[in-house]
Amino acid sequence: MKKTELNLTSAEFQSIFEKREVPTFKTYLAGKWVSGSDPEGLKVVSPIDLSVIAKAPKLSLQEVKDAIEVNFEKGRWDIRNMPGEKRLKVYHRVADLIEKTREDFVEVLMLNNGKIRAAANGEVDAAIERLIRADLDAKKIYGDFVPGDWSSESLETEAIVTREPLGLVLAIVPFNYPLFDTVNKIVYSTVIGNAVMVKPPSSTPLPLIMLARLFEIAGLPPTSLSIITLPGSEMDEIVKDKRFQVISLTGSTETGEHVIKVGGIRQYLMELGGGDPVIVLKDATFPLTPQRIVTGITSYTGQRCDSVKLIFAEEEIYDKLKHDIIEEMKKVKVGDPREEGINAGPIIDKKTAEEWENAIQDAIKKGGKQLVGGKRVGATYIEPALIEVDKEKLKDLYLFNKEVFASVALLVKVKDANEAIQLANSRRYGLDASIFGNDINRIRELIRKLEVGAVYVNDAPKHGIGYFPFGGRKDSGVGREGIGYTIEYVTAMKTIVYNYKGRNVWKYM
């Protein structure tokens, strides 16, 4: 395995880190680049070989509070007072700058996230497209006219209902898509005129810091953005701050519950735990069905909220589906994501790999059968697993009751799709689901019964850039993310009533 060393070459980033033993980064706080008061900083570790590839600042609570003051008192007005068409131009400039510095972002996503090159490039592409498509968000910023003559008490009045920014958004970003998710949260927060403070994942903070530099170059008001590199364990004091009128979080259900308890009453937008079920009908198409399912299990080594974790198959096609999924999963090659031919890199850390390993052992102890994979082949490397389990034992499994953020799926035979629906809906999560089949009437019936935020027909779940809105029900979240659909969660409606009584504007009968 070759040495894991981070080497950023773009001129745009040279001023935001120092070349020490490892690159040592500053972070962006309301227009200022700071190194943080803690000389040790935060170690950034590569899951490829667990080596330290960089350091990021570890901010103090006071440093963050000082930035909140600037973002709230000045930044929320600076971004609001910037004309919308100029904000769109900023996004387009950032898109161009990401393209220009693409190789540095790919480098970071490979070394820090363990993504294969194709996946890293895919995330860069998604970030660029999300910035360019901000014009579609802008088209959803509209209000209403309400005439007053439909009620006797409001005669000779009229109202307009507007949407306006709430002020300051706290965005909490997960490790798995640090570049795209940050772009997404910044765009839908600022397009309407909110300032935003972004809390990066401690394990993968570098894409966020690099992105802040590009927004600075592109002309976003400097007081309207901060990247607060503070460990999650120290965030409660920040989450409590009522100057944040919106908290946008992508993460686990447990983290979401904690943030709501600490944060109290305000606007929340949360995409939380998932791990999606698939229902395969007896008239499903082959080889499309097993191929799409395996992609859903193994993409980014299962480290996706929309990763496939449960497969329910009707009796008539169960054996064929099982055989074909096993054969497809055998094609997955695990290893160093920098090497050609590898399509599954490492898990983000040892703790997650251990949870995956323990969850598989739990399933086997409770009667599950390991059909393929399921072996840990290094500290952070795993073979994607398929576990066969009887439907009667399914609800006892850790893998059924908890989202395990790694490649593993349970395969269950059901007598019919109604039984599959009942089992799928009994989970605490309700993010997405997939249905594979061809009887459109049957599929439409199942869509109606599934308690999830999105249903994918003849494809594995994939949120992409959010062109189609996504978000969960039950313990999978609050609200919806999606181009044009998130505006309502980061804005407030304001009703303005005009009184014209006695001014002869209207002459009613």
Side-chain angles (χ1 to χ4, degrees):
M1 186 178 289
K2 61 183 178 180
K3 190 175 181 181
T4 307
E5 235 175 4
L6 181 64
N7 182 30
L8 302 185
T9 60
S10 300
E12 288 78 3
F13 302 130
Q14 299 308 306
S15 64
I16 65 172
F17 69 91
E18 296 179 9
K19 295 180 180 179
R20 300 181 187 175
E21 185 178 347
V22 293
T24 302
F25 285 77
K26 301 174 186 177
T27 194
Y28 191 69
L29 293 181
K32 297 179 180 178
W33 287 96
V34 302
S35 299
S37 55
D38 188 331
E40 289 299 313
L42 297 169
K43 292 180 179 178
V44 180
V45 175
S46 172
I48 292 173
D49 57 8
L50 301 179
S51 61
V52 177
I53 58 170
K55 285 187 177 181
K58 182 182 179 184
L59 299 175
S60 67
L61 282 173
Q62 191 57 53
E63 286 174 308
V64 177
K65 288 178 179 179
D66 290 345
I68 294 173
E69 182 74 15
V70 177
N71 284 147
F72 181 78
E73 294 295 339
K74 194 170 189 305
R76 66 186 172 121
W77 292 107
D78 286 348
I79 187 68
R80 188 169 177 179
N81 292 334
M82 180 184 227
E85 57 95 14
K86 289 188 177 180
R87 293 198 289 270
L88 288 178
K89 287 178 181 177
V90 168
Y91 306 144
H92 291 174
R93 289 188 203 112
V94 174
D96 291 341
L97 286 165
I98 292 176
E99 184 59 63
K100 181 181 177 185
T101 59
R102 172 185 287 270
E103 280 307 308
D104 279 350
F105 279 108
V106 169
E107 169 95 347
V108 166
L109 291 169
M110 291 177 71
L111 298 189
N112 195 188
N113 280 78
K115 298 196 172 191
I116 61 173
R117 178 169 288 277
N121 268 305
E123 184 169 352
V124 173
D125 290 340
I128 291 170
E129 187 173 358
R130 182 65 185 92
L131 287 156
I132 293 170
R133 289 277 65 87
D135 59 333
L136 298 180
D137 293 276
K139 289 179 180 179
K140 288 294 185 82
I141 304 169
Y142 49 75
D144 293 300
F145 167 76
V146 185
D149 65 320
W150 291 90
S151 170
S152 59
E153 69 173 10
S154 57
L155 286 176
E156 296 190 85
T157 68
E158 64 184 2
I160 60 170
V161 182
T162 65
R163 282 200 174 273
E164 62 182 35
L166 279 163
L168 181 58
V169 176
L170 174 60
I172 303 174
V173 173
F175 81 85
N176 53 346
Y177 290 92
L179 174 61
F180 170 76
D181 205 60
T182 305
V183 163
N184 190 35
K185 291 185 190 309
I186 290 175
V187 168
Y188 66 61
S189 297
T190 59
V191 71
I192 185 67
N194 291 296
V196 60
M197 301 189 78
V198 188
K199 192 295 189 191
S202 294
S203 57
T204 60
L206 302 186
L208 289 79
I209 295 171
M210 293 160 62
L211 184 65
R213 173 61 179 148
L214 301 189
F215 270 101
E216 180 187 38
I217 294 170
L220 191 78
T223 58
S224 303
L225 175 65
S226 290
I227 308 295
I228 50 174
T229 51
L230 194 68
S233 58
E234 299 177 22
M235 277 294 293
D236 281 9
E237 196 69 26
I238 305 305
V239 168
K240 289 176 185 175
D241 196 312
K242 291 297 184 180
R243 287 173 292 187
F244 294 111
Q245 294 196 338
V246 185
I247 297 181
S248 172
L249 164 71
T250 303
S252 70
T253 295
E254 292 74 19
T255 300
E257 289 174 335
H258 179 77
V259 166
I260 290 172
K261 287 176 183 177
V262 171
I265 298 171
R266 70 185 81 202
Q267 185 85 323
Y268 290 100
L269 175 62
M270 295 187 169
E271 193 220 337
L272 305 176
D276 293 338
V278 168
I279 298 173
V280 184
L281 304 178
K282 59 187 177 183
D283 63 345
T285 300
F286 288 79
L288 177 142
T289 299
Q291 288 173 348
R292 291 287 194 273
I293 290 174
V294 171
T295 297
I297 297 169
T298 62
S299 177
Y300 191 33
T301 324
Q303 299 174 108
R304 299 162 48 121
C305 296
D306 56 4
S307 179
V308 170
K309 294 289 190 280
L310 284 161
I311 307 161
F312 298 105
E314 291 189 316
E315 293 175 344
E316 291 88 342
I317 48 85
Y318 181 83
D319 289 336
K320 177 171 177 52
L321 181 71
K322 178 170 75 171
H323 172 272
D324 286 7
I325 290 177
I326 291 171
E327 292 307 307
E328 287 293 328
M329 289 185 72
K330 285 179 181 178
K331 298 175 184 178
V332 176
K333 294 183 179 179
V334 179
D336 187 329
R338 297 168 293 182
E339 295 179 4
E340 291 292 328
I342 296 297
N343 45 25
I347 294 296
I348 194 65
D349 55 34
K350 290 194 292 185
K351 182 181 177 182
T352 305
E354 286 164 3
E355 183 186 25
W356 171 89
E357 197 171 35
N358 292 335
I360 290 173
Q361 289 305 312
D362 170 79
I364 292 170
K365 286 177 185 176
K366 293 173 180 175
K369 182 180 179 183
Q370 189 170 316
L371 297 177
V372 66
K375 295 178 183 177
R376 194 168 169 190
V377 292
T380 54
Y381 292 86
I382 65 167
E383 292 180 348
L386 181 67
I387 311 295
E388 186 176 41
V389 61
D390 291 339
K391 58 190 175 186
E392 291 80 11
K393 298 177 181 178
L394 180 64
K395 293 182 182 180
D396 296 331
L397 272 55
Y398 185 89
L399 284 166
F400 181 83
N401 294 296
K402 180 82 163 58
E403 180 190 29
V404 176
F405 224 52
S407 288
V408 57
L410 299 172
L411 179 63
V412 184
K413 183 191 292 186
V414 292
K415 63 180 181 182
D416 57 34
N418 284 330
E419 193 171 53
I421 292 283
Q422 186 178 31
L423 289 167
N425 285 346
S426 68
R427 286 187 88 217
R428 62 187 292 208
Y429 305 111
L431 187 56
D432 318 293
S434 286
I435 302 170
F436 288 86
N438 286 289
D439 183 342
I440 192 62
N441 297 316
R442 185 74 172 119
I443 290 170
R444 182 62 186 89
E445 177 193 352
L446 300 177
I447 289 171
R448 180 172 175 267
K449 292 178 178 178
L450 278 165
E451 296 169 354
V452 295
V455 179
Y456 294 78
V457 178
N458 290 321
D459 205 355
K462 50 183 178 182
H463 295 161
I465 66 165
Y467 184 77
F468 302 124
F470 61 89
R473 291 168 60 173
K474 300 186 287 190
D475 282 0
S476 285
V478 178
R480 290 292 180 271
E481 295 199 49
I483 298 175
Y485 287 89
T486 314
I487 292 297
E488 64 183 279
Y489 299 98
V490 293
T491 56
M493 296 180 82
K494 180 176 281 184
T495 303
I496 304 100
V497 181
Y498 294 91
N499 178 18
Y500 298 97
K501 288 181 179 178
R503 302 190 183 190
N504 297 315
V505 175
W506 292 276
K507 299 187 185 298
Y508 294 111
M509 297 177 63

